[in-house]
Amino acid sequence: MNVNKEAGVDCGLEVSPEELKAINAMSKKKLRPEEVYAFAVRLCDNEIDRDGERFTAETLEQLAALYPGKPGLFDHSMKGRDQTARTYRAWVERDEAKRNSLNEPYTALRARAYMVRTPENQSLIAEIDAGIKKEVSVGCAIATKACSICGANRHTEPCAHLPGRFYEGQLCHTVLSGAKDAYEWSCGNPRSAKGGRDEDGKGLFHTGRRE
């Protein structure tokens, strides 16, 4: 099943020799530092989102292995002109001092991406640096959506537990596990996402913020 999730764009990065080496591993030509704009992105995390869903830490690790090389788009458009960036690094960051709503260590999938500087994307770069472009949503394929109360697969064995309600003191939500593929991430209005759907046709989203 395909899933769209929201997260956040960070500000631009200094293109160090190490960063440039990783970027050039993705590029067909050798790029110079002045030709490149690099920035950090928080793709998703293990917090319960506004749709009552969350990724497991293991799934975030799986996605980290899948995201390098994937494109950054505008509003989930796969048109060539809207493929604005390329992911060149992804990793999982665990913060033992910060807890999610389940009292687990906060865990986030983070990435770095680059764009080649052109006259056409200078306004986008300026909006990222000014904090205007904050929201990013990711599209990926997840194997299982399970009820957090009883473990039932939401698609193959629907149960009576409703996300957002409490059962014996536990908040019901849907656990997303088993990353099958990562498609892209998109900069723009997350609720305008059209590309990712799960099997019942419902679009799925996850809220995140810039750091």
Side-chain angles (χ1 to χ4, degrees), residues 9-15 19 22-23 26 36-43 67-73 84-91 110-116 125 128 136 185 187:
V9 179
D10 208 342
C11 60
L13 302 168
E14 179 183 353
V15 182
E19 297 297 312
I23 289 169
M26 299 285 172
V36 173
Y37 177 78
F39 57 101
V41 186
R42 178 163 54 83
L43 296 177
Y67 258 102
K70 296 301 191 291
L73 314 176
T84 56
R86 184 72 58 184
T87 311
Y88 66 91
R89 195 190 305 275
W91 71 98
R110 299 185 180 275
R112 291 183 177 178
Y114 75 95
M115 297 187 287
V116 176
I125 291 172
I128 291 173
V136 163
W185 55 264
C187 185

Side-chain angles (χ1 to χ4, degrees), residues 166-188:
F166 284 87
Y167 298 88
E168 298 183 358
Q170 295 185 44
L171 177 63
C172 180
H173 59 277
T174 299
V175 181
L176 305 176
S177 60
K180 298 172 64 178
D181 200 358
Y183 303 132
E184 39 78 13
W185 55 264
S186 175
C187 185

Side-chain angles (χ1 to χ4, degrees), residues 95-121:
D95 187 347
E96 294 288 348
K98 182 179 178 180
R99 297 280 160 169
N100 67 7
S101 58
L102 300 177
N103 201 33
E104 299 172 341
Y106 177 76
T107 306
L109 172 59
R110 299 185 180 275
R112 291 183 177 178
Y114 75 95
M115 297 187 287
V116 176
R117 292 180 182 271
T118 67
E120 291 75 21
N121 66 18

Side-chain angles (χ1 to χ4, degrees), residues 2-8 41-45 55 60 63 67 71 76 87 109 111 135-142 181-187 190 193 195-196 204-206:
N2 297 340
V3 175
N4 281 340
K5 291 293 178 187
E6 298 164 28
V41 186
R42 178 163 54 83
L43 296 177
C44 46
D45 56 29
F55 287 109
L60 295 176
L63 287 170
Y67 258 102
H76 289 276
T87 311
L109 172 59
E135 287 75 23
V136 163
S137 56
V138 298
C140 57
I142 298 297
D181 200 358
Y183 303 132
E184 39 78 13
W185 55 264
S186 175
C187 185
L204 303 172
F205 305 87
H206 177 85

Side-chain angles (χ1 to χ4, degrees), residues 122-135:
Q122 287 308 298
S123 60
L124 175 59
I125 291 172
E127 288 178 334
I128 291 173
D129 285 342
I132 296 171
K133 291 291 187 185
K134 293 184 178 182
E135 287 75 23

